[in-house]
Amino acid sequence: MRQLLSFLLILFLQGGSPCWAGGDTASATVENGSRAASSSGDARSNPGGQSGIAGKLGSGDDKSSTDTTWSQGLTLGVNGPIPMIVVDQFGYPTKASKIAVIRDPQMGYDNATYFTPGTTYAVIDKSTGKIVKKGPPTAWNGGATDAVSGDKAWWFDFSDVEIPGTYTVTDIEKGLRSVEFEIDDSVYRNVLKHAVRMYFYQRAGFKKTAETAGADWADAASHMGPGQDPQTRPWQGKRGLISGLLRELIKSNVSQAKDLHGGWFDAGDYNKYTSWAARNIIILLRAYSESPNAFGDDSGIAESGNGVPDILDEVKWGLDWLVRMQNTDGSLLCVQGVDQASPPSAATGPSYYGPATTAASLTGAAAFAYAAKIYSARSEADLKGYGNDLATRAKKAWDWATANPNVLYYNNDDTKQPNSSGLASGQQEMDDAERLFARFEAAVYLYELTGDVNYKGFVESKYTSIVASYGPLQWDADRQEALLYYTRLPGISAQVKAAILTKFVTNVTGNADQLPMVTNNKDPYRSPIKDYTWGSNQSKVLQARLYQLLAIYGNDAATAAKADSAAMGYLHYIHGVNPLGLVYLTNMKSAGAEHSASTMYHRWFSHSSARWGRVSDTTPGPPPGYLVGGPNPSFSLDKCCTAAIGTAGYQCSGSAAFSLCSNNYAPPLGQPPLKSYRQYNEEWPANSWEVTEPSIGYQARYIRVLAKYVR
């Protein structure tokens, strides 16, 4: 008997299931609608992971970069060739502002590379070799050195070049040029397709075939084995097995198993977080609702060609998981922690979930309510029914959260939640202000969905508490968007509407850290933000979104035009108008960018993977389209790297790890903010996740901004 108990304990802790436990023993919810089985790629009902529609990897009309000589004459640095002339490597719409930035590094890792521009710059048509525009560059800020980038800079404005084609910006006297780029109104369409495809690669429990993912990134469905996502167990049960009556604990734990397969890996780790997934669902649907023509049915995912825009198929994959996270009482579980491996299908460890919380239920209510509007408006009967079901779920989640307003759970933090350590990575629990916003946003969408004045009453009693009186700041884009969205709903208070709009327009146009940063040319790279922190590329697109909102909700045409042009400057930054001349999207040569991110922190595309760790002439590296975190001046190596000899922290718990401490990490260390970036993906204690890790949250916000300029 003792041997049997020991066997069961070991088997359970390793994620196995006793044979008498059965298979999918319990499920929080029942999948709704036939589309989930027929075209969502459910790995159990559709082992091939495809809908039967032949998909194509990426876009058949991608225009791969062939500019292999752009770096001639440039010095090679830690992040690649050190550029002197930077442009948007994908290009520019015909009527957009087009400004090349010329740079002379003064501070930072590249400051030994000097450059004084010549007096004549030219735009050269690649197809003919002819000069279509020429003139002198203009010194930024009178020749001053920018402290944020560490550079002196010049601008060369070629906005009047509008004929579609392939071009370079060239310094006639010095013989240096930019990377080739396109001018065309559809220049960002394929970039958007690759950005959306990132979610396909992040799908859990889905077979990625060579046809849909590309032969370089094909993988079996992950986390679908015994004790994994279809049999996810409560985290409390794992800790409870250490002591007590083993049989009763195992029986209780197995009886609480839930089918939580599907959804998206949140970031470079594979964990899944309810509130964050719900937020991304709302953002992606907002991008679609605002710019429906930007999204086609041809991005090459498994559902491509089924008559539904791929963005809606992809969001439904995320929604289906959110549905599974909802209990029958309306509450939503807060987090799912899963095993990590490269590739994801190699992960064999068990999956665990955290309990239902107020925050998860409120964000779930908001996502369900907004998605209900989108899907119920579709002509397909199954999607219309799906939308109606989401509406019911939204109201149930709201009701549970209203009855249980303070149910908290701090995962992976024993100091706040005993025995939670080890469940997932990021802390998903919210503070009071965040929960208030979650309730506010859910009320906005539920009011639109139902017309119930009780939701309106809550919104109008709390709207002044959502964004500070001096805001919005770059961090407030999602909150500000929910406020502004409310102003377009019928039957609301005219006074509340006017107050929201007036405050927003006044503060964005008048606050020195908002639109005046752009109009006063504060940043030589034309994408200023007030603060650079972890995830600065997300901050860039959040700031851009505030300007897009000004263009949408403002009532002054001239200001709207300035705001819209300002927003595009942040896309140009992501696309290469930065001190590194680096496109902060992975592996985008196939989409036209010659110099894009070659590596990132991700458990699949890890430093230890000879195949996927880095893009090279012989290895595929990560797939196209992941937005990396960006420059982070707050980056630091783990404190064990500087621990005194003989102390507990010395050697970082092992010589292999400690050896990383002696590597040169400048950059990102010791740099001006804009140069606090390094193309690397080393694990702890090198902590590359603080610099290069992607996130489905970063990605959603980038897509929301980009979609507005896709034609």
Side-chain angles (χ1 to χ4, degrees), residues 465-530:
S465 302
I466 302 305
V467 172
S469 59
Y470 51 80
L473 304 177
Q474 67 192 44
W475 318 108
D476 296 325
D478 295 336
R479 298 184 180 208
Q480 186 64 64
E481 184 150 350
L483 282 164
L484 293 169
Y485 186 87
Y486 181 71
T487 67
R488 293 197 165 181
L489 301 185
I492 69 171
S493 163
Q495 180 180 359
V496 170
K497 175 179 179 178
I500 292 172
L501 291 172
T502 299
K503 174 178 175 290
F504 169 66
V505 173
T506 299
N507 287 2
V508 173
T509 58
N511 187 328
D513 293 324
Q514 287 297 317
L515 190 60
M517 289 193 299
V518 178
T519 56
N520 294 335
N521 297 329
K522 185 174 181 179
D523 180 4
Y525 293 94
R526 305 180 65 81
S527 58
I529 56 176
K530 184 177 184 294

Side-chain angles (χ1 to χ4, degrees), residues 5 157 228 281 421 466 535 614 670:
L5 291 177
D157 190 334
Q228 293 190 300
I281 284 167
S421 180
I466 302 305
R614 179 178 291 268

Side-chain angles (χ1 to χ4, degrees), residues 580-636:
L580 281 61
L582 179 70
V583 174
Y584 284 120
L585 299 164
T586 56
N587 204 356
M588 290 296 278
K589 184 170 183 175
S590 63
E594 185 63 34
H595 185 39
S596 58
S598 62
T599 190
M600 62 180 175
Y601 175 80
H602 197 289
R603 291 300 180 90
W604 182 353
F605 319 110
S606 67
H607 180 70
S608 61
S609 171
R611 178 174 175 79
W612 292 305
R614 179 178 291 268
V615 178
S616 74
D617 292 338
T618 58
T619 57
Y626 278 73
L627 178 66
V628 296
N632 179 10
S634 64
F635 163 81
S636 64

